[in-house]
Amino acid sequence: MHRPPFLFSIYHLAFIIAIIVRLALIPSPGFEADISFWKSWGLATYDKGIVEGMKATNNNYPTPFAYSLGAMVYLYSFFSDPHIFNDFWKNTNLLFLTISKLFPILADIGIAGIILYIGKHAVNLGFPMLKRGHSREGGNPERKKWIPDQVGDDKQSLMFGLTIYQILSLFYLLNPISIIDGAVWGQVDSVGLFIFLLSLLTLLKRFPFIAGALYMLSMMTKLQNMIYAPLFFLFAFQYGGFKFLVQAIAGALTSFVGLNIEFILTRNSDRIFASLTENYDYFPWMSLNAYNLWWIVTGAKGMATSDKLSVIGMVNAKTVGLLIFSGFYLFAVLRQLVLFVKFDQLDKFGLKTFLEGLIIVNAAFFLFQTQSHDRYAFPLSVFLLLWSPFLLNSLSLKTSMLLKNFKLFTICYSLFTLFYFYNLHTALIINYPNNGIPFLSLLTQPFFTISTSYILLGLFGVFLFTLIRSSIFSIWHLAFSIILVVGGIFFLNLPLFTKKPVSLTKLTPFISEQAYGTRQTDKTVQSSFGGPNKWTRLSVQYAFYKHGLGSHANSKYTYSLNKNFSRFETDYGIDTESGTKASALFEIYGDDALLFRSEKMGRFDLPRHASVDISGVKNLTLKTNDAGDENYDDHTDWLRPTLWP
C-alpha cells in the first residue's frame, strides 16, 4: 500500500511535535504532592521491598502499583543515590521528574500506537474501515456498510480509512488533556488506560486468558478501571461465549494472585483488600475539583462541602450520586444485553455498544458521583476516539456526509477537550499557582468553573441524545433506569412519608471526631481493633442493646437532618467494657444550640434516657466529654438513638 508522501510527512511531523512538547514539559514540577508521593512510596519499596514498604508509608494505591514506583527509584539509583536527601527531594529534581514522567509519556505513545493498529486491522478487530463508495445494499439504512465502487478502489479506500485512524491517534497525542495529565501533572492515568486498551485488544484477538490478566493489571495500576469489570466480562461472553468468559475470568484471577503473591505468601492479604477498599470514603467531599453536578450544587465549594449532607429528603449527596451512577450503569448494561435479543448488523459482537457503555460509565462516574476526582474523566479522551469510527460509519451515506459528521464529532470532541483541560489545569494551579499557564491561571472564579460543569454535563447530554436517536431501545432503557433511580430515592425517604421512626445509625455523620478508636455502629468502640473476632455488643451495666453508636470521650458527631424530623430520643451510658473509673458527660445540640446535657455518668450507672424537640433543626450534634478527670477508658454509648418525623 502506498501513502501519499504529503500525508505521510504531516503525520510524522505532528507525531514528533507531540513528543517534543512532552519532553519540553518534563522539568515542570507539576502536581508536586503527587510527585512527592511517588518518591516516598517508591523509595520505601526500593529500600524495604513491596510488603514492608507499603507498611512504612501511607500508600493507598492497589498493592502492585508499588512495583512501578519502586522501579522509578531503581532506575534513578543507576544515575544518583536516592538517599541523598537534598537532591532526591527537590521539587525540581530533573532526573526523577524525567524517569517518573517517562511512564505516562511512553503510555501516551502506546495508546496512539493502539489506535493506529486498530486502523490497520480494523476489519479483523470489528472496527469500521470507513471505506468510500456506494452501498451494494442499495442504501439500506439497516446496514450502512460501505464498500468500494470497484475492486481497484480497495487500496484507495483502505488509505482513507487509515487516514481517519491516523487523525484519531493525533487527536490523542496532541490533546492537551493527555499532555497536562502526564508530562505536566506527573500522573499515570495513561499507564492504566494503555494496559486496559491492551486487554481489549487481546480480547478482540481472541486471547481471553491474557485479556483477563491484562485487565486485572490495568485495575491494579489504576483502581478506577474497576468500574469497567461488569461491562468487560459481559462483552467477553458476547464476543466468544461461555468458555471464552471462563478463560477471561481465570486470567484475571491468576493475574490477581500473581501480582499480590508477596502479600499472600507473607500473610499480609489484609493489606491487599484494604488497598482496594480504603479509598471508598478517603476524601468525603462533594467534588474533588471535578467540575460536575456536585460542583454546581455546592456553588463551586465542592472541596469544602461534605457529601454526607442531606440533599433529597433524608438521603445524603453520596447516596444520591451512587444511585444516579448506578442508574446510568444499568442503562449501559441493558443496552449491551439487548444484543442477545436483536443483533445489530453493524455491531454483531457488541463492540460499538461496549465502547458506548464505557463512555456512559466513565462519564457518569465523573459527573454524578461525589468524591469524584478531577482526573476521573481522563479515559473519555480515548474512548470517544475509539467510538467515533462507528458513529461515522453508521451516519454516513456519502463521503461528503462522512466528512460533515467527522467535522461535527471534531467540534464536540474539541469542546470536551477544551473544557476538561481547563478543569485539569485549574485543579493544578489552585494547588500550585506557579506551575500552570499564566493567562489561564487567572480564570479560576466560580463563574468559569460552574459554567464548565454545565458544559460538560451538556456534552454528555448530547452523547446520550445521539444514542437515543439511533435506537428506540435506548429510550426505554434510559427511562427504566431513571425510574429505578427515582424509585430508590423514594424508597430511602419512605419513613418521612409514612411518619415511621428512623434509627440514627442509618445516617452517616458529616462530622465524626473522637479521641480514641473510631465510631462504631451497633458495636462497642473497642470493636474497632482486632477484627471481627473482637466485636462486642453494646451494653451499659449489662443491659444489652441491638442498635446504637459505640464512642469514646471526647467525641463529636454531627448529622444533617435538613429539618425533616421533630423529635430525637436516645438512651446513653458508659459501656460495660470500660474500666471502673470511667466517667463522661453526654450532650445533644441542635444547630449549635444546647438541647440536653446529662449529669456525670459512671461505669456502674444504669442507662438513662433523653428526649429532645428537634423541629426545624438542620444539624444534630451528639457530644461526649470526659467529666473533668481525663478521658482514660471513657467508652461511651448512644443506645437506640431514634429520629421521629
Side-chain angles (χ1 to χ4, degrees), residues 331-371:
F331 173 57
V333 170
L334 288 175
R335 295 185 75 255
Q336 191 78 10
L337 285 173
V338 79
L339 292 175
F340 287 116
V341 181
K342 181 181 183 296
F343 282 91
D344 185 331
Q345 295 295 331
L346 180 66
D347 194 20
K348 184 176 180 181
F349 296 111
L351 178 56
K352 170 176 172 284
T353 311
F354 171 63
L355 291 171
E356 290 168 348
L358 293 178
I359 295 169
I360 292 168
V361 168
N362 189 196
F365 189 71
F366 173 79
L367 292 171
F368 302 110
Q369 286 260 69
T370 64
Q371 303 188 32

Side-chain angles (χ1 to χ4, degrees), residues 373-388:
H373 203 292
D374 37 54
R375 291 179 291 101
Y376 282 173
F378 179 85
L380 289 175
S381 62
V382 178
F383 293 159
L384 287 167
L385 294 177
L386 294 179
W387 168 73
S388 64

